[in-house]
């Protein structure tokens, strides 16, 4: 991938990340959904559930208090576990 992707800061903006952000990231980078890990700090919506349902393969981790080390570790473990099941 050679470029800069500004998803979420430029149109199209949407609260449904599964319909806008992730398809654009996949198209721009060539990275399949099962190669993506999404950390979500939203306290007003559960984007993790929406993304997991709309973009099968994306691993999600909620971070409602901002990124905490334990949540980072948990996300990385979930990503590694998912990669192990796929491989």
């Amino acid at each position: 991938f050679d470029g800069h992707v500004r998803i979420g800061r430029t149109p199209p903006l949407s609260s449904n990340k599964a319909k806008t952000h992730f398809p654009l990231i996949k198209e721009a980078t060539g990275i399949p959904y099962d190669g993506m890990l999404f950390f979500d700090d939203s306290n007003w919506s559960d984007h993790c559930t929406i993304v997991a349902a709309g973009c099968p393969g994306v691993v999600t981790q909620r971070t409602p208090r901002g990124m905490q080390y334990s949540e980072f570790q948990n996300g990385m473990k979930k990503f590694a576990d998912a990669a192990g099941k796929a491989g």
Side-chain angles (χ1 to χ4, degrees):
F1 170 70
D2 184 29
H4 181 74
V5 180
R6 292 192 52 122
I7 307 295
R9 304 218 182 256
T10 57
L13 300 176
S14 169
S15 61
N16 185 343
K17 314 301 184 220
K19 288 189 177 180
T20 55
H21 294 53
F22 284 90
L24 290 172
I25 293 169
K26 182 179 176 186
E27 181 181 332
T29 65
I31 298 170
Y33 290 143
D34 63 2
M36 297 182 190
L37 172 55
F38 173 53
F39 291 96
D40 180 35
D41 65 351
S42 174
N43 287 311
W44 55 91
S45 182
D46 185 357
H47 296 131
C48 286
T49 297
I50 295 167
V51 167
C55 302
V58 174
V59 175
T60 64
Q61 174 64 47
R62 296 199 70 208
T63 60
R65 297 166 290 139
M67 179 68 78
Q68 305 293 312
Y69 184 68
S70 61
E71 293 163 334
F72 176 76
Q73 286 182 305
N74 193 47
M76 295 301 290
K77 181 178 181 335
K78 288 165 59 174
F79 188 77
D81 290 349
K85 289 178 186 173

